[in-house]
Amino acid sequence: MNSIRELLAAAAQLPADTATDAPLLLAHTLDKDRSWLYAWPEHCPAPEQLEHYQALLRRRLHGEPLAYLTGHKEFWSLQLRVTPDTLIPRPETELLVETALALPVKSTRAQVLDLGTGSGAIALALASERPGWQLTATDISKKALALAAQNAAQHSIHNICFVCSPWFQGLEADLRCHIILSNPPYVAEDDPHLQQDGLPHEPISALTAGADGLQDLRTIIGNAPGFLQPGGWLLVEHGMDQGTAVRQLFGLAGFRRIETRQDLEYRDRITLGCYSR
Ligand code: GLN
């Protein structure tokens, strides 16, 4: 009774999201990978493992995101620890990393700033790809920064300096970057999407930004020129319906070569621009 085969068959009857994630929760409980389950279908987990798995399954059924239950999420091939103190890194944010890596930045020791780093996903991905770059990663949340620093240590990444700061406020006034990038909160406060897809379990401060969702983007875009080298780049992630408004903000702040790019689902997802005084 309660062999892996039976547990998986029972889980397949659950609502779709939970049914899909059940094997991952079982593998996580047993501290194995998913393929192990299919190699040992007759194995019967110990009673306390069974209890733990069922508790996780119940939490998943109530909408808690998988990443908070397992405590990790993969981003840019890096296994990152995540907690409810930070947003769960999204695959579409990899576009920000990919675009930053393709910029015409000549310096091999470029200064790069990631604003609102959360779990550290963006800064860690860039730091791992460009060990010569000097990264600064900020967050207003001390808990988020501690987690990001832990993720950096886990991956033996040493070229990131973590600063507790609301956007630019806590930074050295003479910092001049080749690239500034951010995945800030950009959801409107009354967006019904906030009630779905596990978002109620994520930190609201990492998701919403004023009535139109643009409050933090305005602060970032408006202040970025003061922290950029001549010819430096700003890249921000935003909502799929914010492309026009964000390009306008870049224009007002004096950026050139302003461009919005789409994610793999053809939704406007990031905007970038170059600043030259
Ligand atoms: N893309 C996220 C979502 O709507 C929001 C992330 C953010 O606000 N930066 O699910």
Side-chain angles (χ1 to χ4, degrees), residues 73-84:
K73 174 82 184 177
E74 193 165 302
F75 182 85
W76 201 263
S77 306
L78 297 169
Q79 183 83 319
L80 300 181
R81 217 170 91 68
V82 293
T83 71

Side-chain angles (χ1 to χ4, degrees), residues 130-153:
R130 299 281 187 274
W133 285 8
Q134 304 296 314
L135 283 111
T136 303
T138 72
D139 209 285
I140 194 170
S141 155
K142 287 206 173 82
K143 286 182 175 167
L145 276 182
L147 183 71
Q150 196 181 329
N151 277 323

Side-chain angles (χ1 to χ4, degrees), residues 2 10 92 126 184 193 259:
N2 287 327
E92 57 267 30
L126 293 174
H193 174 57
E259 199 188 318

Side-chain angles (χ1 to χ4, degrees), residues 182-221:
S182 182
N183 172 19
Y186 54 71
V187 182
E189 268 157 7
D190 62 354
D191 191 323
H193 174 57
L194 291 167
Q195 308 311 322
Q196 301 155 16
D197 300 333
L199 267 67
H201 296 270
E202 296 189 87
I204 193 79
S205 61
L207 287 165
T208 63
D212 60 0
L214 292 167
Q215 191 172 291
D216 292 311
L217 283 161
R218 275 191 203 96
T219 304
I220 292 169
I221 299 164

